[in-house]
Amino acid sequence: MRAAMWYAKGDVRVVDVPEPRVKPGCVKIRVKWCGICGSDIGEYAAGPISIPVGVPHPITGDTAPVILGHELSGEVVEIGEGVSKFKVGDRVVTEATVACLQCPACLSGEFNLCETLGIHGISGGGGGFAEYTVFPEKFTHKIPDNLDYERAALVEPIAVGFHSLRVGGRFKTGMTAVVMGAGPIGLGVIECLKASGARKIIAVVRKSVRQEYAMRSGADHLIDPEEIPDIASAVKGLNGGLGADIAFETYGAAVGLELGLQSLKFDGTLVVISLWGENPPINAIEIVLREKHVIGSAIYHGNDFLSVLKMLEDGRIPAKGYITKRIYLDDIVKEGFETLLSEERKQHVKIIVTPDRSLL
């Protein structure tokens, strides 16, 4: 089968590899669509970041080269021994979680906090930028009948946003929220805030087509940090002189952390979703003297997937305009990675990839 494999920084190749064999407790999936994630771009442009090189991943046992891609939808084509929830022909999406199932976090059901957590399509064990992949039944979910494969491929990134609302129980209906950034994760947060009853949503995003997408996703107000550098004052001006109840950091840059903290009211909460290449400085004085809360949000778990599937199905999350380009697997480097590293990236939110040319 054809698959996009990461060999080294700047070296992703679409090559022929053996089809994966189904394992007990797993299903074999024919991939329909798989989205390009920021983590895929990061590994291509600056990796290895999370890809195991030299030392095998403790769960998959794999090292580079590995197949990329984890935001996938597809059709079940083979059932492994012991699988009871699925049959051949079922349409499915998959959580990207690679968990040991044995550590204290896993035993408590918090698979996203596994001590040796991996990501399918980064840590080995297969990936979505391929014709087929094999996935555990535990981390696979059926697609509702009225949801197509393209929109189903958005469940994974939107579930990251949905989990960030639920983590720590900090978001409540009727809150005012600030979202730092309007990339795929930021837009997912906005969509989920709107669907969950936020009173006011303020998006902090530079001038680009993503401002339009942020408004379409449910933002009530936009702040361009290049035009209005005092984000805290701008937020207060839009909220009756008070800071926001909750802020979501999706920049992955120290400035996002600082601006997010400053935009909060006393006792407000900053939810940090970004993955960081290095530890940023943090304004501890602001946290202490205003009793602000900072909490991390690590990907998602099954209940988040089921909730997002339902909200996409019934229209509470419309995800209009989220998909900005559809490409064939063999063109993933030029039309996908290179596009998202060029000036053209400002015109895109989510590029999705298919190994089936007939779907284009």
Side-chain angles (χ1 to χ4, degrees), residues 39-281:
S39 59
D40 299 317
I41 296 298
E43 296 290 357
Y44 176 74
I49 299 170
S50 299
I51 289 176
V53 175
V55 178
H57 188 274
I59 299 175
T60 68
D62 287 348
T63 60
V66 297
I67 300 172
L68 292 175
H70 58 270
E71 301 178 356
L72 67 96
S73 64
E75 176 188 6
V76 174
V77 294
E78 192 175 348
I79 301 295
E81 181 183 351
V83 170
S84 59
K85 291 196 309 183
F86 300 99
K87 65 182 185 302
V88 171
D90 280 345
R91 302 181 324 122
V92 295
V93 292
T94 57
E95 299 179 47
T97 309
V98 176
C100 72
L101 308 184
Q102 298 174 347
C103 70
C106 285
L107 292 175
S108 69
E110 302 293 338
F111 304 111
N112 58 316
L113 304 180
C114 174
E115 292 178 1
T116 51
L117 179 70
I119 300 295
H120 191 78
I122 289 179
S123 306
F129 295 144
E131 293 181 71
Y132 298 93
T133 194
V134 170
F135 237 87
E137 177 184 37
K138 179 182 291 292
F139 298 124
T140 305
H141 306 279
K142 291 182 182 179
I143 301 171
D145 290 341
N146 63 343
L147 192 64
D148 62 35
Y149 281 118
E150 287 190 9
R151 296 210 317 138
L154 301 177
V155 172
E156 200 276 347
I158 294 175
V160 174
F162 185 76
H163 182 72
S164 74
L165 269 65
R166 297 180 57 177
V167 68
R170 299 301 299 183
F171 174 76
K172 301 289 189 299
T173 298
M175 281 185 166
T176 292
V178 172
V179 181
M180 309 299 301
I185 300 303
L187 290 176
V189 173
I190 293 170
E191 296 259 11
C192 293
L193 284 166
K194 191 70 173 181
S196 300
R199 183 178 69 85
K200 188 176 294 182
I201 304 169
I202 302 166
V204 180
V205 54
R206 292 182 177 87
K207 186 170 292 182
S208 70
V209 72
R210 288 184 176 180
Q211 289 187 337
E212 175 189 338
Y213 293 138
M215 294 297 287
R216 189 184 300 171
S217 295
D220 299 294
H221 303 281
L222 297 175
I223 299 174
D224 184 339
E226 294 181 346
E227 295 182 356
I228 306 174
D230 190 345
I231 302 299
S233 293
V235 169
K236 290 176 182 177
L238 294 169
N239 198 40
L242 192 64
D245 300 294
I246 192 166
F248 298 85
E249 195 289 311
T250 75
Y251 274 9
V255 65
L257 209 59
E258 178 63 20
L259 294 178
L261 271 175
Q262 293 291 343
S263 72
L264 292 170
K265 73 176 184 66
F266 64 90
D267 193 35
T269 298
L270 175 65
V271 184
V272 183
I273 309 172
S274 300
L275 294 177
W276 299 75
E278 58 185 30
N279 287 326

Side-chain angles (χ1 to χ4, degrees), residues 267-340:
D267 193 35
T269 298
L270 175 65
V271 184
V272 183
I273 309 172
S274 300
L275 294 177
W276 299 75
E278 58 185 30
N279 287 326
I282 190 164
N283 189 340
I285 297 296
E286 183 72 15
I287 295 170
V288 171
L289 295 184
R290 303 290 284 167
E291 291 193 352
K292 295 181 179 180
H293 307 261
V294 179
I295 189 167
S297 180
I299 56 176
Y300 43 71
H301 50 61
N303 290 336
D304 302 317
F305 254 65
L306 296 174
S307 296
V308 171
L309 276 166
K310 181 63 177 175
M311 289 191 287
L312 279 167
E313 178 190 20
D314 63 22
R316 281 178 289 165
I317 295 180
K320 293 179 180 177
Y322 215 92
I323 297 169
T324 50
K325 190 176 183 181
R326 299 160 179 82
I327 64 174
Y328 183 49
L329 176 62
D330 281 24
D331 302 323
I332 191 171
V333 173
K334 181 180 179 181
E335 298 297 327
F337 297 152
E338 293 296 339
T339 292
L340 292 172

